[in-house]
Amino acid sequence: MKLKFHHPEPSARELTGPRYWRSLDNLAATPAFKEWVVREFPAGASELEGVNRRHFLKIMAASFGLAGVGLSGCRQQTLHLLPYSKQPERMIPGVPIFYASSQPGPEENLPLIVETHDARPTKVEGNPSHAATGGATDIFAQASVLDLYDPDRAQRSSGADGQPMSPDNVTDKLSQLVAAFSPMRGSGLYFLSNRSTSPARARVVDKIRQKYPLAVWAEYEAIDQSNPERTASAWFETPARPVYDFAKAKRVLSLDSDFLQTEPGHLANARGFAKARSVEAEADMESMNRLYIVESHYSLTGANADHRLRCATAQVPAVAALLAAELFTQAPLSSRQDEVLAVLKKLGAGATVDPKWVSACVKDLLAHKGAAAVIAGSQLPVELHQLVTLMNVALGAVGQTVTYRALPDRPPAASIADIAVAIDAKKVQTLVILNGNPAYNAPGDLNFAAKLKTVPVIRYGYYGRQADETSALAGTFIAGLHYLESWGDGLTWDGRHVPVQPMIEPLFEGLGELDVLGMLAGDPNADAFKYVQDTFAAMHPGKSFDEWLAVGVAGDEAPAVSRDDVGIRADALAAWTYRAPEVSEKSLEVRFIPGAGWDGRYTNNGWLQECPDPMTKLTWDNAILVSPKLGKQLGVAPEPVLMNKLGQTAMDANTFVKSVEQAQIGEITVKGRTIRGPVSILPGLANWTLVVALGYGRKLAGGVGQDVGFSASPLVSAAGAMACSVTGAVLKILPDVYQLANTQEHWSMEGRELVREANITEFHDKPDFARELGLEAHAPPIYGPAKVLSPQEKAVEIPRGQMLYQTQPNNEPQPNYPAWNTPEGRADYPTPQQWGMSIDLNTCLGCNACVVACQAENNIPIVGKDQVRRGREMQWIRLDRYFASGPGPDGNEQTMEIPEDPQVAFQSIACMQCELAPCEVVCPFAATVHDDQGLNTMAYNRCVGTKYCANNCPYKVRRFNFFDWNKREIGHFNEGPLGPDYYATEASQLTRMQKNPDVTIRMRGVMEKCTYCVQRIEEAKINQRVKAQGTGNIKVPDGTIKTACQQVCPTQAIQFGDVSDAKSAVSIAKASPRNYAVLGYLNTRPRTTYLAKIRNPNPEMPDYHNQPLTRLEEGARYKMGVAEGAAAAT
Amino acid sequence: MIAEAETTVARPPEVLARVQPLASPARPTLVLNKRDFHWITDKVCGIVEQPAPLWWWICAAVAAMVASFVPIGLFYLVSTGIGVWGLRPPEFWGWDIVNFVFWVGIAHAGTMISSVLCLLRQKWRTAISRTAEATTIFGIMCAGIFPAFHVGRVWFAWWLFPVPNSQSTWPNFHSPLEWDVFAVNTYLTVSLLFWYMGMVPDLATLRDRAKVTWRKYFYGILALGWRNSTRHWRNYEMAYLVIAGMATSLVVSVSAIVSADFASSLQPGWHTAIFPPYFVAGAVFCGFAMVLALLIPLRSLFKLEDVITQYHIDCVCKATLAIGSMVAYVYTMEFFIAWYGGNLFEVFTFINRAFGQYAWAYWIMLSCNVLSPQLFWFKKVRRNLPLVFLVALLINLGMWCERFVIIVTSLGNDFLPSSWGYFTPSVVDIFTFFGTLGMFGLLFLLFIRFLPMLPISEMKHVLPEADPHFGERGHITTGADGVPKGGGL
């Protein structure tokens, strides 16, 4: 007799491993239970002696009853239910519970609300109680929940020879360490930790410092963003950092600062920036902000800039000096003017920049004194930040757009270079590494991995021996906890105190960071929860700890610091002996940027790896990004394909063969150190700058991140002012070709009015310009007689769907509701709410957060690099990126060149929920149908997969399950049933815990797409019906439902709601004159419409165009407004 | 009126006598060398009755081997997922639907030749009708494989039929794919019926000549008790005419409906009103070419020059040329309308077809389909059979490319440039397609081996002997006594 349980037989490893989450197996594995099941009849049943008929029947009935428990023979698999013997409080099956927490980061903790289903965290959202971020999150926060269930993460601690260590062993080991170093007062004990904002941790670290006064505490982040803080602290002589309020800034100058995407505080920055950038009506013309940026990489901030100056990062300080000099010339200083100017002129000597650009920019900034801000990239030298402070003072920004906020006073930490020196000097007896991964990402010139081998290392970390380079070198490895399973706290960017709460019991035998530090501080009964509680009590006397946990944010913003003589400290400037290095084709610059895995810490996260970079659209790889000019010189620029030779389409920026990017391998050499990687052209880079993303090329990263891309860390230098870039590089092209998984081949919009944009002046003169673009402007009224109806009436009155079986007209009840078919009943019949969406292209930054949030919410699988190369990526939201180069010098459309200095526009495209959906009419199985709320629904069960719907979708938003993405493992799709069954693996037991139980897992052969998060809509409707209790008030109030993409959006570019309600936010957005439908002429009547993008260029700038470049391109192509465009271009 | 009638009556009969009607040009003889009824029976039945020649065994073995790619490829496809094909967004259809339309096109000539030419009383059709109909049946069988298996979950494909199922949902009759199901199935049914019914008298001949028991039973059952009685013939002729009439409408409908898969969509390059006639013309075009490509080798292998004469080849070549010119007209018209319509997406699609990434397919299509049939203007070419054979193959290649151009290039570069992509077939795609070629070949070889390849009875009808005026027997005239004289058998 074969017994089959829905769990596989537990392996030996599992039986000895952690038990709480597989207790069912463990129960099933007990000898008593097994014996009970294996026996054909329960005890007593087989001993039939001297029974009468009645007794026999009783036993047989009992036997048959029990037979169903464990015996096979039924057609369906037997599943087991273990009801709670004691129901946990508030836990209702199927109803999620939300907890407040935060995601720790080096400079800020991101306040979160975490959704848990049956005590499994499944999705994180921002915490709206924190006003600055307003409930927004970024891609890293969204993807962090997947890290919790990473099968490759550390499952237990281990000793020197890889022997597993129990938590008790770890405690012993740590007490030995304490015993060994306490008498020596910590001499020879070195700590290398990540940066953290946690006050609780700081308190424990203080204890450690007290206990071991001679020990060295160093902090290290591969991507160090602490320079602004360092500068401000020195300037104000108290710990402080500049916090910008971009909502107040009308004019912003960014010096190589990607403050909207990669800088700390970026969510608050983006929120404020969008507020100042949004234009609701033409009257907002004056209030719209203007962004100038000087940068080498084409960052997302650069993508949203009105004026962009391409400049090598190494020369940014020089350009900044010129800008500052111009500023102090136009707005003379009260004293020491000449001295300062002389210093600045000297500093700016190496920069080549159009003086008109500088003077017009500064003039504009000065014209908005008090509402202007200058921000510099945190990677830039401290001296530059001083200069920026000076400029902000001169612009009257301090206290207005920039506030210097106090930071907790913490003793200074040593750097990783100090540790390296100490190791060389043989001073290190034990090195304790907390988090981070220095063996992988320490600056190349430290040769840190080799040094680690020479000292005893105790490593505490979240990734285990097999998945992390540093752990592999450590003698003792202590398994850490994910932030979703540990206690902690932290500070937000503006200084509020936020908790880190565990959502789930630790999945494995890890220890919390605070626990380990507490033990090191000599407290054998260290308790993280107690530390957090104590810290809270100390910081917020009299406040309720429980309330803090419930709300998730405590305290106010950190107080502003100021000093009266904040003015001029020219002496500090004069001491700055900076000379802009030469950056040319012979001596290139390498600029390092954070990659999809940041500095390598998220490398093993499939969602992040598969999320296309917003600018390059590359997945699963980093590349040596080069400018078109350099690419051409190196001979890696593509040949025009046939169409391009005829001048019909713009030339691709890279070589694509069969839609796969073919990249030549390049070799960068800087001071004898070399790295190799594929070379890819990105329009808009500074001519002689190579941009390389960090966090790739991990040798021990786990199943997802292993050997993805190449590591740029060897080139990073610990010495020198700017760790973010090195100069003097040489790039050599090797003959090898590498295939990159690029999700967007073509960069040009080809004169099609997909993203519609205008300059603010045009918007002012003609607010509804967007409706006069595109083919529909020339088409007859698409609504026929219904054109006179209001949008609300249109949404309800016009029949929708193209199915044979039309949905009921909207104001009529379904025929199968008899109660509503009486006259009184009909009066009560509420017209279903009509869902629609509006996306503001003006405030959409292109940050990708919606893409990952959608993936997390809707159980969207990743498909791996090979399948992405075949174009089969599954994300329901696609972020289209279009460059625009404008007409060529002769006024004609320029097609034979890759643009060197293009404008860029993003367009987030998901299912538009067309009212006349082309997909619906062509499905022979009636698998995609319209419902009475205006949703274009997908009945996965009904889908057989003809793919006709996807062909007929003009927006190409449908995704097809070409393989069993969920059941098969990446890399084994082609093996079919012969390949490994992922569901049968232990890893699947973990990753499936992340899945949203409200959303189906789709099998192969089925089409899928965005559904406006129908599970959230239905949940809200059910809640509202419960609340209505027969009052008939079953309309969900506006704003109750937030789609996953809307909720995550830092700039609130996405509005969702009932379009049949004229007062809903989405209706108000759609009433904007900027509102338009993509490909509206097709009469698909999409429910998702877009608000046109407005640019705000300065007419006095040398790079001013009187129209956005896409419009000029279109004009040149269709010979409309050629003269205007040509005039502007020259 | 009365006066007119009177004048007519009053016309002197000698005027009529003076009328010298022009001698109508002699109809070409359809069977050469004065072959008689008996020769035809022996010739056609002999192919079936004599042992198969060596070349047949070799061809059948090769075809069977190639045909085995089909089940292997489909098994892999169904067990693993359609990702094993080269399909990718935005080309959710690729070789699968190209092959489907290609085979549906091949299937067109048979019905066209049998039914339309039958109704038009084109007697030259008799010699080639049977083989042409066979290509129809086998073409449809090959065609059906692709739409059935290109779906993601083929085990649910039966939901296409309006039968009760657990979801209580009927198929969506608005979908052109649903129309396809009915169009193709109807076409297959009627074509099969037409083919089989036409074969019944010949099967009876084979039955009557059979010397082996299994043959007696095999052909006996297939012959449906045909006894060659006048009543049988009368019913047969009537039924044949009726089915020919039905099949004629299907010639137009099936390809027109297949074209609706594309024409009823929104895709630039698909969304055009010219598609139904275009697809019918294209289908007949490649069907005729396929018939040529099959007949020319068969004719020489089986020494059938006396019944499949140069005149037959000429006729098919001319028909091919005529239809090919229509196809060329459509190609031109598509471009013209794209320009004239002023829709920038349409304009782009057509320029892109000719000069974009897929230009190779477009120019193969154009040179094979438009240029190569122009050779058929010349009698010399039509008499050069190897050349005719080559042109026929080229046309088939060109027509395959035409379907590729229509389907793949339209999908590859449509509305949003962000979603453009290039389609590349996978090995499984290629092997499955060649597998269907093998399958077609194998079925055809089995057909010529076991069934009468030429319609025996119909060919006898076109012999001079079948003419009531043949030989000494003149017109039936009425004698002075009003009794018919002369004529008759």
Side-chain angles (χ1 to χ4, degrees), chain B residues 247-324:
Chain B
T248 304
S249 66
L250 289 179
V251 171
V252 183
S253 73
V254 67
S255 256
I257 285 174
V258 167
S259 83
D261 287 353
F262 310 104
S264 68
S265 81
L266 288 180
Q267 284 288 313
W270 283 10
H271 181 71
T272 112
I274 207 171
F275 263 25
Y278 172 20
F279 269 52
V280 174
V284 173
F285 183 47
C286 79
F288 271 88
M290 192 59 151
V291 168
L292 272 182
L294 288 170
L295 278 182
I296 291 172
L298 277 184
R299 175 179 186 261
S300 64
L301 283 168
F302 288 114
K303 308 269 176 292
L304 293 170
E305 289 86 350
D306 286 347
V307 282
I308 305 175
T309 66
Q310 182 59 45
Y311 173 65
H312 287 100
I313 307 245
D314 268 5
C315 285
V316 183
C317 284
K318 285 176 190 169
T320 310
L321 175 59
I323 308 255

Side-chain angles (χ1 to χ4, degrees), chain A residues 870 872 947 960 962, chain B residues 82-89 91-97 150 423-426 429:
Chain A
R870 293 166 201 267
R872 292 170 179 169
K947 309 175 287 307
F960 189 67
F962 284 95
Chain B
I82 42 173
V84 302
W85 279 352
L87 303 177
R88 53 161 293 161
E91 290 104 343
F92 288 94
W93 288 348
W95 274 38
D96 47 356
I97 302 299
H150 92 295
F423 173 81
T424 320
S426 75
D429 271 313

Side-chain angles (χ1 to χ4, degrees), chain A residues 642-643 646 659 752 870-872 880 922-924 941-948 951-952 956 962 974 1004, chain B residues 76 78 83 85 87-89 92-93 150 152-153 167 172 175 261 265-267 343 355 414-415 418 422:
Chain A
L642 200 51
M643 246 332 238
L646 286 174
S659 276
R752 301 173 176 190
R870 293 166 201 267
R872 292 170 179 169
D880 288 349
V922 299
C923 175
N941 280 349
R942 183 74 191 167
C943 179
V944 181
T946 67
K947 309 175 287 307
Y948 196 174
N951 280 338
N952 208 24
K956 290 288 170 282
F962 284 95
N974 275 308
R1004 76 174 154 103
Chain B
Y76 182 43
V78 174
W85 279 352
L87 303 177
R88 53 161 293 161
F92 288 94
W93 288 348
H150 92 295
R153 306 197 294 171
Q167 294 164 331
N172 175 17
S175 169
D261 287 353
S265 81
L266 288 180
Q267 284 288 313
N343 181 323
F355 304 107
D414 68 345
F415 294 102
S418 69
Y422 189 87

Side-chain angles (χ1 to χ4, degrees), chain A residues 618 622-626 631-632 634-639 653-657 660-668 675-681 710 731-740:
Chain A
L618 288 176
N622 58 344
I624 301 172
L625 303 178
V626 301
K632 225 188 242 177
L634 294 168
V636 297
E639 289 292 314
N654 282 291
T655 308
F656 285 85
V657 174
V660 180
E661 181 173 345
Q662 312 287 320
Q664 298 252 210
I665 296 289
E667 186 179 76
I668 308 179
I675 57 168
R676 284 183 185 185
V679 176
S680 185
I681 295 176
F710 62 96
L731 176 60
K732 197 172 87 188
I733 299 297
L734 306 179
D736 309 321
V737 173
Y738 181 83
Q739 295 196 332
L740 290 169

Side-chain angles (χ1 to χ4, degrees), chain A residues 1003-1022:
Chain A
M1003 76 173 296
R1004 76 174 154 103
V1006 171
M1007 194 61 77
E1008 61 183 64
K1009 65 162 191 79
C1010 160
T1011 59
Y1012 274 169
C1013 285
V1014 66
Q1015 67 280 6
R1016 293 186 175 204
I1017 295 177
E1018 293 306 319
E1019 190 189 347
K1021 279 164 64 181
I1022 292 166

Side-chain angles (χ1 to χ4, degrees), chain A residues 878-942:
Chain A
R878 188 182 70 230
L879 192 70
D880 288 349
R881 177 268 291 134
Y882 294 111
F883 291 117
S885 60
D890 54 351
N892 284 321
E893 193 190 0
Q894 187 178 12
T895 55
M896 296 298 287
E897 294 293 334
I898 310 167
E900 285 187 8
D901 193 9
Q903 286 180 350
V904 72
F906 296 104
Q907 188 167 38
S908 154
I909 293 215
C911 176
M912 305 269 179
Q913 317 287 343
C914 307
E915 287 177 359
L916 287 177
C919 51
E920 289 172 11
V921 65
V922 299
C923 175
F925 297 102
T928 183
V929 290
H930 234 77
D931 75 359
D932 56 359
Q933 324 169 62
L935 297 183
N936 169 236
T937 56
M938 258 317 293
Y940 298 126
N941 280 349
R942 183 74 191 167

